[in-house]
Amino acid sequence: MAQLTAPDAPVIIVLFGATGDLAKRMVLPAFYTLAEQHLMPENYLLIGTGRGQVSDEQFAQHIHDALTEFATAPQPDEWARFSSRVRFAGGGFTVDDPGELVDAVARARQDLGENAQLINYLAVPPVAFQGFTAAIGAHGLAKGCRAVYEKPFGSSPSDFRTLNAAVHEVLDESQVYRIDHFLGKEATQDLHVLRFANSLFAGAWNAEHIESVQIDAPENLDIDDRAGFYDATGAMLDMMITHLFQVAAEVAMEQPASMDADDLQSAREEVIGCFRPLDPAEVVLGQYDGYREVKGIAPDSTTDTFVAARMWVDNDRWRGVPFLMRTGKRMAASTQRVSVVFKAPASTPFPIPADGGVLSFSLAGNGAVDLSMVVKEPGPGLSLVISDASIVLGDVEGADALPPYVRLIHDVLIGDRSLFTRPDGLASAWNVLQPVLDHRPAVQPYPQGSWGPAAAAQLAAPGRWLLGQ
Ligand SMILES: NC(=O)C1=CN([C@@H]2O[C@H](COP(=O)(O)OP(=O)(O)OC[C@H]3O[C@@H](n4cnc5c(N)ncnc54)[C@H](OP(=O)(O)O)[C@@H]3O)[C@@H](O)[C@H]2O)C=CC1
Ligand SMILES: O=C1O[C@H](COP(=O)(O)O)[C@@H](O)[C@H](O)[C@H]1O
């Protein structure tokens, strides 16, 4: 891959939700990493904003604390350079009252020049997207800006449509960057690279050769201190309609005309239009035992902390191939694996073990690609066994893997939208979910540390989930 470079033009970043959970875990450490790796432009300012009154010094200290807790404690020289570019504009930001933000941006423009690229980063809960977008329009911060929206972009099909229309009243689509950080993972990008660069897989990437696709993202994590957000969201929206659908689209898409941002984005987002609306009978929802006792969760909550689904892709390439998806909190393991299970050969001169041909991608960390194959057990007889070969992406020669938020924020800085989602894809994703929203399956309990409700195993029949059973 081409070496990443810093943009030339000065940048002003306005970070909404700057003292929130996502900001401290991911976004602020990502900006610091970009600065440390000389991937920020020479001149930039980072303006945090929120409803409270926070001084520039307090905000800088907040970032320092976040780096120390969630990344690594910054080196004094680098920190001095970074912290001198940090500001905070408090007092909230609404259509009626811009608080301190408009003045802060005006001062930043005086310092950096009128040609500075403005980036509005909305690291706030989805419920706040619309109000901030309207205020960005009302107070003159929309013209020429790039606007980054966290996920989920909307909380229901109608909310998505309303939000999308409200965003387009203020911003042109080309200004909008909807983040799905699974698209920024190294191994997710290998889903398309490996396939389109190796004829070994390109020719076999279809229903004739593939038996099933499994996208499995169990987590043993709890909901930490995100009870309010999580109880209103649940696993289906937090993970499935967002991350797992985008990863499914990376597996299922047709070859893009080129690797240009528009072509890659089109190939991925268009195939979501072929995902068949889910049959509620092919969806299992679960809630782990003890969830309702978590602080901040309603005692009668029916929120899903687990979802498993069997989805079908209605096009010639994928007809008849189940896409099995599963994710949940407080499960037996934390892993993120996409497995392409190849069919056994139609005729063989010997009986072969099951599950021999599996190409799988570990999306966690820097990622890995694993191939399991049937081989002869070395020795005198003809005994067949399954053996694995693994490519750890971080060990590939020349590897300089970037964490997903670093990669995606860098893409925003240089104006590359290829790894961001598009409204047509999101509209299709909501359509796929609609039957389950209309006829929601009952939420079944499951023990903490398990693989979810027993009914989920049935979705994989006559096969099985490769992980955990
Ligand atoms: N946390 C995580 O691990 C991840 C989060 N995300 C996404 O990031 C976004 C932010 O999540 P997270 O940081 O956890 O959320 P938080 O609940 O921590 O909210 C972030 C900040 O947004 C401001 N805020 C909250 N509610 C409102 C409101 N109604 N109106 C105006 N401002 C508000 C608050 O700032 P103040 O009080 O200063 O105004 C708050 O500190 C969400 O869309 C989430 O889905 C995505 C991936 C992972
Ligand atoms: O967006 C989210 O993703 C995380 C999992 O992300 P990763 O960084 O571990 O790959 C998930 O735990 C969280 O609930 C969800 O909001």
Side-chain angles (χ1 to χ4, degrees):
M1 196 178 92
Q3 215 43 32
L4 295 185
T5 52
D8 293 330
V11 169
I12 300 166
I13 302 122
V14 173
L15 181 58
F16 294 88
T19 56
D21 190 67
L22 176 78
K24 74 178 175 196
R25 285 174 199 276
M26 304 283 188
V27 180
L28 292 167
F31 276 116
Y32 185 74
T33 302
L34 287 164
E36 209 178 21
Q37 297 195 7
H38 309 289
L39 294 173
M40 293 295 284
E42 204 177 314
N43 290 313
Y44 69 90
L45 283 169
L46 171 63
I47 307 174
T49 186
R51 292 168 294 188
Q53 290 299 343
V54 176
S55 69
D56 295 350
E57 292 71 25
Q58 285 168 325
F59 183 47
Q61 185 59 47
H62 173 80
I63 301 176
H64 195 281
D65 293 347
L67 294 174
T68 308
E69 185 176 357
F70 297 107
T72 42
Q75 293 300 318
D77 288 356
E78 190 61 49
W79 173 247
R81 279 190 289 278
F82 185 80
S83 57
S84 68
R85 295 152 186 273
V86 165
R87 313 274 184 272
F88 196 87
F93 186 64
T94 63
V95 168
D96 298 330
D97 181 358
E100 298 168 359
L101 184 57
V102 170
D103 289 345
V105 172
R107 279 195 301 276
R109 285 199 188 285
Q110 277 166 14
D111 290 352
L112 300 189
E114 286 303 315
N115 70 334
Q117 173 65 56
L118 178 63
I119 295 174
N120 291 306
Y121 193 127
L122 282 77
V124 293
V127 69
F129 287 166
Q130 216 174 310
F132 281 131
T133 307
I136 285 168
H139 298 297
L141 300 188
K143 188 164 173 251
C145 82
R146 295 177 190 148
V148 183
Y149 289 85
E150 269 302 329
K151 59 115 263 254
F153 192 77
S155 53
S156 69
S158 64
D159 182 54
F160 158 73
R161 285 190 290 272
T162 309
L163 173 62
N164 200 40
V167 166
H168 285 160
E169 266 178 34
V170 174
L171 302 163
D172 184 74
E173 175 59 20
S174 62
Q175 296 175 274
V176 181
Y177 293 70
R178 298 176 198 81
I179 279 212
D180 186 306
H181 78 275
F182 273 47
L183 290 176
K185 289 177 183 263
E186 283 292 346
T188 306
Q189 295 167 62
D190 248 315
L191 282 167
H192 58 252
V193 170
L194 188 127
R195 170 184 164 198
F196 297 127
N198 296 282
S199 57
L200 173 67
F201 299 114
W205 213 259
N206 54 48
E208 191 186 338
H209 299 284
I210 294 176
E211 190 167 284
S212 68
V213 174
Q214 301 197 6
I215 301 171
D216 212 353
E219 296 183 289
N220 46 31
L221 291 178
D222 205 336
I223 50 171
D224 297 323
D225 47 3
R226 302 167 70 206
F229 164 79
Y230 196 85
D231 204 40
T233 307
M236 254 192 322
L237 304 193
D238 184 41
M239 290 288 286
M240 194 176 78
I241 188 179
T242 48
H243 304 318
L244 304 195
F245 274 22
Q246 289 295 327
V247 170
E250 278 276 329
V251 175
M253 72 186 184
E254 293 302 312
Q255 181 165 324
S258 76
M259 293 305 278
D260 288 353
D262 280 353
D263 288 336
L264 180 55
Q265 195 186 39
S266 292
R268 190 183 58 244
E269 300 295 302
E270 277 168 13
V271 78
I272 303 176
C274 300
F275 291 3
R276 187 188 305 169
L278 287 166
D279 177 348
E282 295 183 296
V283 175
V284 173
L285 299 183
Q287 186 185 84
Y288 68 76
D289 296 336
Y291 173 74
R292 294 174 183 184
E293 277 95 65
V294 174
K295 189 163 169 259
I297 301 297
D300 57 352
S301 169
T302 56
T303 294
D304 46 302
T305 63
F306 171 97
V307 58
R310 182 167 58 206
M311 188 182 74
W312 305 92
V313 181
D314 284 332
N315 63 18
D316 288 346
R317 183 181 294 281
W318 294 108
R319 200 152 284 119
V321 180
F323 277 60
L324 298 165
M325 290 175 281
R326 178 172 69 171
T327 185
K329 300 290 185 197
R330 300 294 295 139
M331 290 180 64
S334 264
T335 182
Q336 297 169 344
R337 200 161 267 281
V338 180
S339 302
V340 179
V341 182
F342 287 89
K343 290 180 175 165
S347 81
T348 55
F350 33 53
I352 53 173
D355 301 332
V358 180
L359 174 66
S360 81
F361 300 76
S362 166
L363 306 187
N366 290 339
V369 181
D370 301 305
L371 185 59
S372 91
M373 287 170 290
V374 178
V375 295
K376 175 181 169 297
E377 190 176 54
L382 182 59
S383 182
L384 304 188
V385 289
I386 295 174
S387 197
D388 301 319
S390 186
I391 300 171
V392 176
L393 297 178
D395 293 347
V396 170
E397 200 183 330
D400 186 13
L402 293 178
Y405 270 91
V406 177
R407 164 65 202 251
L408 293 172
I409 291 174
H410 182 264
D411 285 353
V412 177
L413 290 173
I414 60 170
D416 183 337
R417 297 172 69 236
S418 53
L419 298 180
F420 295 81
T421 62
R422 223 170 58 175
D424 54 338
L426 294 178
S428 301
W430 282 112
N431 279 343
V432 176
L433 203 64
Q434 187 71 63
V436 183
L437 299 175
D438 293 343
H439 304 283
R440 195 166 185 265
V443 174
Q444 305 182 36
Y446 64 94
Q448 294 192 30
S450 74
W451 287 92
Q458 293 309 313
L459 293 176
R464 63 179 185 92
W465 294 96
L466 295 177
L467 296 178
Q469 325 274 329

